[in-house]
Amino acid sequence: MDNFFHRVYKIVAKIPKGKVATYGQIASILGHPKGARTVGWAMQSAPSHLNLPCHRVVNRLGEMAPEHIFGDKRYQQALLEIEGVTFKEDGCIDMKKHQWIMDDEEFL
DNA sequence: CATTTGACTTTGA
DNA sequence: TTCAAAGCCAAAT
């Protein structure tokens, strides 16, 4: 059974405020180092009732999801800014400072 | 069952 | 960091 999706939701729900995680990072944690795309697919299929902070999940470049996900990139960017995430002039997140580093305790 | 598509990553230049 | 090409995974057609 595809616990993978459930895992993804679990991880995403654990992303601390003001931090962001990459698809590949989450996939790697779950044991699918090459399943970055699958994580994205999980997000696409992510039910709303889980209240997943998908705005904290970005690609490795710090770029946010396309417009057709939230409606506008600025929306996701605004949410992250509110949480304390800083953006560069390019509109990308400063991954070096805000990339979420998982603690051993988080690995449940 | 084969092909295409997609919220991606990695490697090399 | 950016450009181009290949790779990998799951769902849709």
Side-chain angles (χ1 to χ4, degrees):
Chain A
M1 63 193 210
D2 34 48
N3 288 24
F4 185 72
F5 281 42
H6 192 250
R7 300 283 185 178
V8 173
Y9 304 145
K10 204 79 177 270
I11 297 293
V12 173
K14 288 180 177 185
I15 300 175
K17 195 175 180 187
K19 294 261 180 167
V20 294
T22 65
Y23 299 98
Q25 181 178 2
I26 295 171
S28 181
I29 292 169
L30 300 179
H32 286 256
K34 310 302 182 186
R37 305 199 65 118
T38 311
V39 175
W41 195 260
M43 293 282 96
Q44 183 182 47
S45 187
S48 307
H49 63 79
L50 295 176
N51 291 330
L52 294 179
C54 41
H55 56 268
R56 294 181 191 153
V57 182
V58 296
N59 59 19
R60 71 178 185 87
L61 301 175
E63 281 274 349
M64 51 221 89
E67 306 80 70
H68 61 268
I69 303 297
F70 288 89
D72 281 318
K73 285 185 186 171
R74 298 163 305 177
Y75 176 64
Q76 182 177 5
Q77 183 173 343
L79 288 174
L80 291 169
E81 285 183 325
I82 290 169
E83 297 192 347
V85 176
T86 58
F87 283 75
K88 299 194 305 182
E89 299 79 12
D90 301 59
C92 301
I93 299 173
D94 201 336
M95 299 300 292
K96 201 72 177 197
K97 298 175 181 171
H98 293 291
Q99 186 166 15
W100 177 41
I101 300 175
M102 211 179 186
D103 296 332
D104 300 338
E105 308 173 21
E106 304 279 4
F107 200 105
L108 181 55

